Amino acid sequence: MRPSLKALEFFAERLNVPASELLSARAHGKDSSEAELQAVEEDLNYQLNYVKMLIRTNQIDDALQLLDEAMRGVQPYWDKLLPSVQYLIPFVRGRAYLQLSDSVGARPYLEEALRLAKDDEDALARVHNLLGVIFYEQEQPHLALEHHLKCLPAVRDTVKDLNIRASVYRNLANDYWAIKEPSQAIGFYKETLIVLEDLNDLPSQAGVFWGMAMAYKTQHDWEYAKLYATRARDTG
């Protein structure tokens, strides 16, 4: 059985070992059966879920160490892994650097993830989305928009994750706002709100309402600017 991440931390504390050690065991050998390969992929996904939790809680050094262990563990099977699995290690490493607000450090890992993702539309959308975030943070909104627009077909047709969909729509709205196209920004803010209603994410809704208020203010549409500013206040 596979314990939950919370249970894993409890076991690690009781055994007086780092949780990463409980995740680092790997099968050895130069070749693998289909079942073995599937087990390797499952273990990698399990490790990466733990890494993401470490990133969210700002335990970046532990996250990067576990990523190194994960990479060593899958190395014997690397050429047999699907692109949808291979891209994850540099992708998550890029996320770790973004958590540190180090967009320069994150960029080469995300570019490597983009190369490994190949034709996997879901993976490509996720990588382009974060690359767009990097360029937006570096005050290059036109390059950010270019990457976020590449996400749009997959987000509308194949990507099922509502969080990614909301993220892409909101990033597009922010890009258009940054290049002074408020009408386009408002359109994507509205698409973001539709997704956020399904996610029941009130803090994010408040942020989108405020963005819409500023966009309407730019257009001198004071009625709608006041309306959405009020919604931002009431939701937040």
Side-chain angles (χ1 to χ4, degrees), residues 173-193:
N174 292 339
D175 296 340
Y176 278 116
W177 168 253
I179 64 174
K180 297 179 172 56
E181 292 190 25
S183 295
Q184 291 277 26
I186 289 168
F188 280 107
Y189 279 136
K190 288 180 177 178
E191 291 203 59
T192 309
L193 285 174

Side-chain angles (χ1 to χ4, degrees), residues 9-203:
E9 290 187 319
F10 175 77
F11 296 150
E13 183 179 350
R14 291 295 297 271
L15 294 169
N16 195 29
V17 297
S20 60
E21 285 191 17
L22 302 180
L23 286 164
S24 61
R26 281 291 176 274
H28 296 284
K30 296 182 179 180
D31 202 0
S32 65
S33 65
E34 184 177 343
E36 220 178 337
L37 184 61
Q38 184 178 358
V40 169
E41 292 179 353
E42 288 177 357
D43 282 346
L44 177 61
N45 282 318
Y46 193 67
Q47 283 185 298
L48 293 179
N49 284 334
Y50 189 75
V51 170
K52 291 172 189 175
M53 184 276 290
L54 293 173
I55 292 171
R56 287 194 297 270
T57 54
N58 290 314
Q59 300 178 69
I60 307 301
D61 288 342
D62 290 340
L64 293 175
Q65 179 182 342
L66 185 51
L67 277 171
D68 289 339
E69 293 173 2
M71 186 62 195
R72 286 194 294 269
V74 300
Q75 199 62 52
Y77 309 91
W78 184 255
D79 291 339
K80 297 182 179 181
L81 296 175
L82 294 172
S84 59
V85 177
Q86 286 184 335
Y87 95 98
L88 285 169
I89 291 180
F91 177 73
V92 175
R93 193 180 294 273
R95 284 182 56 176
Y97 280 96
L98 281 178
Q99 185 73 12
L100 292 171
S101 299
D102 183 359
S103 59
V104 174
R107 183 174 170 181
Y109 292 111
L110 293 175
E111 289 175 342
E112 173 67 6
L114 193 66
R115 184 186 68 80
L116 292 172
K118 296 183 180 177
D119 297 325
D120 188 302
E121 291 186 355
D122 186 289
L124 289 171
R126 292 170 188 270
V127 181
H128 276 300
N129 189 40
L130 286 194
L131 281 168
V133 169
I134 286 176
F135 285 114
Y136 183 86
E137 291 180 352
Q138 294 176 345
E139 298 182 356
Q140 300 181 67
H142 287 91
L143 287 175
L145 178 61
E146 181 180 326
H147 279 283
H148 289 138
L149 285 172
K150 289 179 180 178
C151 306
L152 204 52
V155 164
R156 286 182 167 160
D157 297 331
T158 60
V159 175
K160 305 301 180 184
D161 189 332
L162 294 181
N163 289 291
I164 295 299
R165 191 175 301 172
S167 176
V168 169
Y169 288 158
R170 185 170 183 177
N171 287 335
L172 280 164
N174 292 339
D175 296 340
Y176 278 116
W177 168 253
I179 64 174
K180 297 179 172 56
E181 292 190 25
S183 295
Q184 291 277 26
I186 289 168
F188 280 107
Y189 279 136
K190 288 180 177 178
E191 291 203 59
T192 309
L193 285 174
I194 293 172
V195 182
L196 290 177
E197 286 177 5
D198 291 332
L199 291 171
N200 195 30
D201 187 343
L202 294 180

